[in-house]
Amino acid sequence: MKMKLGLIYGGKSAEHQVSLQTALAVINALDFNKFEIHPIYISDKGEWIRGGALQEPIKEVSVLKLEQGSLFSPVTLNSDLFPTTVEAEKLDVIFPLLHGPNGEDGTVQGLLELLNIPYVGNGVLASAAGMDKVVMKNLFAQAGLAQASYVSFIKSDFESNQEQAYKEVEEQLGYPCFVKPANLGSSVGISKCKDRAELEAAFKEAFEYDRKVIIEEGIVGREIEIAVIGNDNPQCSVVGEIAPKKEFYDYKAKYEDGDTDLIIPTQLSHDEYETIKDMAIKAFKAIDGSGLVRADFFLTEDGKALINEVNTMPGFTPYSMFPLLWKESGINYPSLIEKLVDLALERYEQKQQIKYTF
Ligand SMILES: Nc1ncnc2c1ncn2[C@@H]1O[C@H](COP(=O)(O)OP(=O)(O)O)[C@@H](O)[C@H]1O
Ligand SMILES: [Mg+2]
């Protein structure tokens, strides 16, 4: 019996196109003798469309933009979208290939929990905690992980006393500092500020994307990334480095210019590698991770590792950091996907053992 694997991709998100590329790569990497692949497309307007099972690899990304016709909105949970009564249409496992809000933040994960379908990657709590930079950093602080100093404001508090907010940033963090919307990714809405004028503009911009912002002290250092997979016993990959040729790793550098070098593996001392591995596992556990995370660090000139963030659904094209780190660690792209599917089933089985009655 082939395993019925649902792929959710697309999404009403800045990363719609990236997600399509990821879906294409994942489909074509899978063994069609082992898997029956069921595409579930979310259009850029947020409509859910389920396609029929794929029998063979596909050549073009446009094929993935399923015909409008059977539209389901995620708010009108419709049993036609994820039939659980028709045995033939039940999916064995779903891999959500989505990044950012409404995909990586626990919302889709919550939907799949309610439908009781196994899914790849982090659960509701880890996904939500990983998406909110303030909650994430609070959890890291509690786990004793070194990180940049930060403060945060919600919009209404900020607006009731802006001068106080600027002062707090200047006294506690100084310049340069980074202002970020709490709940986005892809560097959207993030600014580096060198003075008061830039800080004021940065607050204004960040609040356009979120009702909560975080401000961090600017760190000078190398940007080191490590990949983690597993459930209760997470394992780490080799380490990679991002060498941005710009002021920082912004949206353009990530997706448009391609003018960022990924160095895989990168050179670290034995102690630095051990520290980063240890911190990545602690960070994974701090958010109660499962399946996978990519943990991102700054390594300062005097050799101190500071955690920047974890991504609960990191970039997953074959050219993205996460799969490349595993490739360098001896796990190729198709095997990585299969490992993640196995981890999803393992986590699901564990949960099935839990008693819900008393
Ligand atoms: N505190 C900081 N000090 C120095 N550079 C930073 C800091 N925070 C972010 N950056 C730069 O901005 C980029 C994006 O920030 P990040 O917090 O990783 O947001 P995202 O979740 O959008 O990836 C980082 O990769 C780094 O280049
Ligand atoms: Mg980042």
Side-chain angles (χ1 to χ4, degrees):
M1 271 283 275
K2 287 189 196 180
M3 186 179 288
K4 292 191 173 68
L5 170 65
L7 294 180
I8 307 182
Y9 57 87
K12 190 177 165 183
S13 134
E15 282 149 308
H16 186 91
Q17 284 306 326
V18 181
S19 178
L20 286 174
Q21 293 299 337
T22 307
L24 183 71
V26 168
I27 289 166
N28 291 341
L30 283 164
D31 182 349
F32 278 75
N33 295 313
K34 279 198 222 164
F35 293 97
E36 186 178 289
I37 301 163
H38 293 254
I40 301 160
Y41 173 53
I42 307 175
S43 76
D44 51 12
K45 294 182 191 69
E47 302 143 328
W48 289 56
I49 306 165
R50 177 146 174 201
L54 299 173
Q55 302 305 336
E56 55 187 43
I58 51 173
K59 293 198 178 66
E60 280 182 53
V61 98
S62 60
V63 177
L64 291 168
K65 296 196 167 195
L66 303 175
E67 285 291 307
Q68 314 269 322
S70 50
L71 299 185
F72 301 94
S73 130
V75 283
T76 56
L77 251 186
N78 189 313
S79 62
D80 293 340
L81 181 59
F82 296 109
T84 45
T85 47
V86 187
E87 197 57 40
E89 292 175 26
K90 252 194 213 174
L91 297 175
D92 295 311
V93 59
I94 289 184
F95 194 161
L97 300 171
L98 302 165
H99 310 286
N102 301 319
E104 193 182 350
D105 60 352
T107 51
V108 166
Q109 290 73 16
L111 174 69
L112 298 176
E113 288 287 343
L114 288 172
L115 293 165
N116 198 30
I117 304 175
Y119 57 93
V120 169
N122 288 280
V124 173
L125 177 68
S127 301
M131 182 63 24
D132 186 308
K133 292 186 195 298
V134 179
V135 171
M136 175 170 62
K137 279 169 202 281
N138 289 345
L139 290 172
F140 290 166
Q142 200 175 23
L145 295 169
Q147 57 188 339
S149 300
Y150 60 98
V151 295
S152 79
F153 297 92
I154 57 169
K155 196 172 187 177
S156 52
D157 288 345
F158 170 75
E159 282 172 348
S160 67
N161 197 343
Q162 300 194 10
E163 187 54 34
Q164 171 65 28
Y166 300 140
K167 274 213 180 107
E168 208 173 299
V169 170
E170 287 167 347
E171 279 161 20
Q172 293 191 35
L173 310 174
Y175 296 109
C177 62
F178 281 77
V179 179
K180 315 176 181 181
N183 282 286
L184 274 178
S186 307
S187 301
V188 172
I190 297 185
S191 313
K192 179 177 181 175
C193 312
K194 297 185 200 77
D195 54 39
R196 174 68 75 97
E198 288 183 358
L199 183 64
E200 288 178 12
F203 262 104
K204 196 159 176 278
E205 185 179 1
F207 275 128
E208 281 172 21
Y209 294 100
D210 205 333
R211 53 171 275 284
K212 180 158 68 171
V213 303
I214 181 165
I215 306 91
E216 300 170 21
E217 75 177 298
I219 303 296
V220 181
R222 295 163 67 189
E223 288 196 55
I224 306 289
E225 304 191 343
I226 191 165
V228 183
I229 53 174
N231 287 328
D232 291 347
N233 287 304
Q235 307 294 315
C236 287
S237 68
V238 301
V239 275
E241 179 165 1
I242 296 167
K245 295 171 185 158
K246 314 224 304 201
E247 187 86 41
F248 70 96
Y249 195 32
D250 63 7
Y251 184 88
K252 257 181 118 251
K254 279 181 184 170
Y255 298 112
E256 289 169 12
D257 304 346
D259 64 353
T260 301
D261 290 330
L262 303 185
I263 307 163
I264 302 167
T266 195
Q267 217 49 53
L268 291 189
S269 73
H270 175 77
D271 285 357
E272 286 166 344
Y273 178 56
E274 289 301 316
T275 303
I276 282 183
K277 238 171 49 174
D278 180 58
M279 288 176 75
I281 301 285
K282 284 195 177 126
F284 181 92
K285 291 185 174 167
I287 62 161
D288 197 15
S290 50
L292 74 167
V293 306
R294 196 192 70 223
D296 298 351
F297 294 84
F298 298 113
L299 187 65
T300 64
E301 214 153 58
D302 51 2
K304 194 165 166 51
L306 304 171
I307 191 154
N308 176 32
E309 61 169 343
V310 291
N311 290 281
T312 55
M313 183 53 206
F316 203 81
T317 75
Y319 315 104
S320 307
M321 181 64 99
F322 185 90
L324 290 175
L325 286 171
W326 282 114
K327 192 173 169 207
E328 188 65 31
S329 310
I331 301 176
N332 68 20
Y333 195 61
S335 314
L336 179 62
I337 297 165
E338 289 192 24
K339 252 191 193 319
L340 291 171
V341 167
D342 290 345
L343 287 166
L345 296 173
E346 178 191 285
R347 175 46 50 97
Y348 180 81
E349 283 310 318
Q350 271 181 348
K351 272 198 223 142
Q352 298 310 104
Q353 309 304 320
I354 292 168
K355 263 167 79 172
Y356 290 99
T357 50
F358 176 64

